[in-house]
Amino acid sequence: MAFTLSTTKTFTNINCSNTPSNITTFKPLKLPLFWPWQKVKMGPLSVSPMGFGTWAWGNQLLWGYQTSMDDQLQQAFELALQNGINLFDTADSYGTGRLNGQSERLLGKFIKDSQVLKGKQNEVVVATKFAAYPWRLTSGQFVNACRASLDRLQIDQLGIGQLHWSTANYAPLQELVLWDGLVAMYEKGLVRAVGVSNYGPQQLVKIHDYLKTRGVPLCSAQLQFSLLSMGKEQLEIKSICDELGIRLISYSPLGLGMLTGKYSSSKLPTGPRSLLFRQILPGLEPLLLAQREIAEKRGKTMPQVAINWCICKGTVPIPGIKSVRNVEDNLGALGWKLTNDEQLQLEYAAKESPKSMIQNIFQTR
């Protein structure tokens, strides 16, 4: 079954089980949300101005994942593809307990079975992150980790191979081994580009310079960057990225859900997030009020405003998706732009809010 949007584009939405009874019609989206063929550069790659994260896929502890959700996740993936999203971020450590690696496995299955791609699977840019586990002590072990990810993803080459975090704070001797591992997987053609995650300004410059001497360009840097995480260090990292030609990828652009407007001190999420929300949410009223005001004026949602702010700052946000509804709402962050005054209003309100996001424990200087 097909639906025609407000432009000449027609999309077919099919549940990937390939049985007629499972054909699913998604709610029509209002275009123009975003012209998906207008990509942004990320090193040698062309990616959509927003990607999607898959941290929740397989994570039972924080996100309540169950295998019964897989069909919904696949439908969400297909809808994202139909609307031009081609960047998907994952990690070899995503998935709790026996489900370790589940995010990569699901993403690989969805790519292989996609009704949208139909033989064009190489158009998807998969960015995966490799954990700096203490037993990964040689570059060869890091290359083996890359090969294991490729097996789970059922692909021959990654778009971006990324260091999940730096060990400079606690195992500085391991750090150079990890960098050499990135070089090795790039030279072997296992990845089209390399990137880092949770690197502070000093380490970011160091790895950029080291990789440059090895003839390997640093393509991207992931950072917790949002209206809840826009402090001096984040802005310094953004400036370094701009200067060195590194694309900044914003993870947690919605502050784990705190910027969605769905929660309050009396309405908290279940699980471990509730502890963090209870600590931070009471001080977010100025920011949430500014978000809501702009959203109502624009005919947008609060999450769309928060994600659009990240895009306006020149970053590529990767909000997580767990459902078709997530995809539909997040797509509404594209195809428009906050004015300079609206950006300043949000940033002033963020500074007026006494609490900010707790930074990743692996973030380096």
Side-chain angles (χ1 to χ4, degrees):
M1 183 176 293
F3 60 78
T4 304
L5 304 179
S6 57
T7 70
T8 57
K9 298 294 175 187
T10 303
F11 298 109
T12 302
N13 294 280
I14 301 176
N15 183 302
C16 292
S17 60
N18 293 323
T19 58
S21 61
N22 286 320
I23 293 178
T24 305
T25 302
F26 297 122
K27 188 172 95 176
L29 303 178
K30 296 179 181 178
L31 289 186
L33 290 172
F34 150 60
W35 300 115
W37 304 274
Q38 297 176 353
K39 308 297 187 187
V40 299
K41 296 300 291 181
M42 188 174 287
L45 308 169
S46 294
V47 303
S48 44
M50 174 180 67
F52 284 139
T54 63
W55 182 18
W57 300 11
N59 190 305
Q60 295 175 315
L61 178 64
L62 197 63
W63 300 107
Y65 168 81
Q66 299 294 330
T67 55
S68 59
M69 299 175 178
D70 290 354
D71 286 345
Q72 178 74 192
L73 294 176
Q74 190 165 25
Q75 291 174 23
F77 176 77
E78 290 286 273
L79 184 60
L81 290 176
Q82 288 169 341
N83 284 274
I85 302 299
N86 75 331
L87 174 65
F88 295 87
D89 180 75
T90 183
D92 66 356
S93 61
Y94 284 177
T96 51
R98 63 181 177 80
L99 293 173
N100 188 55
Q102 181 76 345
S103 174
E104 289 184 332
R105 280 188 288 268
L106 286 174
L107 182 56
K109 180 181 185 299
F110 298 164
I111 292 171
K112 182 181 179 181
D113 296 344
S114 175
Q115 297 296 305
V116 177
L117 294 172
K118 293 181 178 178
K120 298 181 180 179
Q121 279 78 2
N122 61 350
E123 293 183 1
V124 174
V125 176
V126 175
T128 200
K129 299 181 291 294
F130 306 109
Y133 293 134
W135 55 84
R136 290 178 175 169
L137 296 174
T138 69
S139 61
Q141 288 174 315
F142 222 55
V143 169
N144 289 340
C146 180
R147 294 190 192 277
S149 287
L150 290 171
D151 287 343
R152 284 188 291 270
L153 289 160
Q154 303 180 66
I155 57 177
D156 297 323
Q157 187 182 47
L158 288 169
I160 311 173
Q162 308 162 102
L163 292 181
H164 204 155
W165 64 83
S166 166
T167 64
N169 288 346
Y170 62 92
L173 295 180
Q174 187 185 11
E175 183 85 340
L176 186 58
V177 169
L178 301 179
W179 296 1
D180 286 339
L182 277 186
V183 172
M185 59 182 76
Y186 180 82
E187 291 179 342
K188 292 177 183 295
L190 302 178
V191 301
R192 294 180 62 191
V194 301
V196 294
S197 179
N198 300 308
Y199 267 61
Q202 295 179 26
Q203 285 302 108
L204 182 60
V205 172
K206 287 180 182 178
I207 188 172
H208 169 272
D209 292 348
Y210 178 79
L211 292 176
K212 187 176 180 179
T213 66
R214 300 292 303 273
V216 179
L218 183 60
C219 158
S220 62
Q222 279 201 36
L223 178 69
Q224 184 174 234
F225 188 86
S226 71
L227 285 164
L228 268 181
S229 185
M230 46 165 277
K232 180 180 178 181
E233 184 173 76
Q234 285 78 19
L235 296 178
E236 183 181 358
I237 293 170
K238 176 63 173 61
S239 177
I240 290 170
C241 286
D242 291 344
E243 180 183 346
L244 299 178
I246 303 167
R247 179 67 68 173
L248 184 65
I249 300 175
S250 305
Y251 74 78
S252 293
L254 298 176
L256 297 180
M258 275 184 274
L259 297 179
T260 63
K262 290 168 52 179
Y263 303 104
S264 66
S265 299
S266 58
K267 184 184 178 184
L268 298 170
T270 58
R273 282 191 299 159
S274 64
L275 301 175
L276 183 64
F277 279 45
R278 187 176 288 112
Q279 178 183 350
I280 295 177
L281 266 178
L284 290 188
E285 187 174 351
L287 176 56
L288 296 178
L289 284 174
Q291 263 187 272
R292 186 172 291 109
E293 178 185 326
I294 293 172
E296 291 175 353
K297 181 177 65 175
R298 287 284 199 152
K300 299 292 180 180
T301 66
M302 291 175 66
Q304 290 166 2
V305 169
I307 295 171
N308 190 271
W309 179 84
C310 292
I311 295 171
C312 287
K313 295 303 170 185
T315 77
V316 176
I318 49 169
I321 54 169
K322 295 200 302 179
S323 67
V324 166
R325 180 175 295 182
N326 288 157
V327 175
E328 289 176 338
D329 192 58
N330 291 341
L331 286 171
L334 300 167
W336 61 285
K337 186 177 180 180
L338 291 162
T339 66
N340 289 336
D341 285 346
E342 288 170 335
Q343 293 176 50
L344 289 173
Q345 179 184 351
L346 289 167
E347 290 160 20
Y348 179 78
K351 291 176 182 177
E352 287 296 298
S353 300
K355 295 287 187 179
S356 60
M357 195 62 162
I358 295 174
Q359 296 305 301
N360 193 304
I361 59 171
F362 290 113
Q363 182 74 31
T364 59
R365 291 173 296 172

